[in-house]
Amino acid sequence: MIGGYYLLQLFLMMVLVGGMAVLSLWLYKKLQPGLSFGATRERAVRIVDAVPMGPMSRLAVVEFGGKRILIAVSRGRVDTIAECPAPNFALPDE
């Protein structure tokens, strides 16, 4: 029969390995390349709105370089539909 000491060691090692897996996933998420460490940064591209048009396609409005660009996104393809200047006003807080 398996001794109690062996089962205790097995349980503690499983907890240790599980904890290391959770810690490594957390660190991977936190320290991904290209992202700042914990602080939010200003992004060059911002998705203003997106509307699904079907199971594999959608329309999206993207703001980039002072312009708003309407794009169609489908499986393996992105097409520009229209461009206009981005409005330079902010919505009041509600």
Side-chain angles (χ1 to χ4, degrees):
M1 181 154 198
I2 299 176
Y5 180 70
Y6 175 75
L7 288 176
L8 179 64
Q9 276 186 326
L10 181 65
F11 177 74
L12 289 176
M13 288 297 155
M14 288 179 69
V15 169
L16 180 67
V17 169
M20 288 172 50
V22 168
L23 178 66
S24 65
L25 290 173
W26 179 79
L27 281 173
Y28 175 74
K29 180 181 174 188
K30 203 71 167 161
L31 302 177
Q32 283 181 345
L35 297 177
S36 58
F37 298 104
T40 58
R41 64 182 177 103
E42 189 67 29
R43 299 216 177 254
V45 177
R46 185 172 72 93
I47 298 175
V48 177
D49 197 9
V51 178
M53 298 300 288
M56 299 297 248
S57 61
R58 69 180 52 219
L59 286 176
V61 177
V62 177
E63 192 170 298
F64 174 74
K67 293 181 182 178
R68 286 201 173 168
I69 306 165
L70 178 64
I71 58 174
V73 181
S74 61
R75 188 175 200 168
R77 188 172 177 156
V78 177
D79 295 314
T80 302
I81 297 175
E83 288 185 24
C84 69
N88 51 1
F89 64 88
L91 294 174
D93 293 335
E94 295 182 293

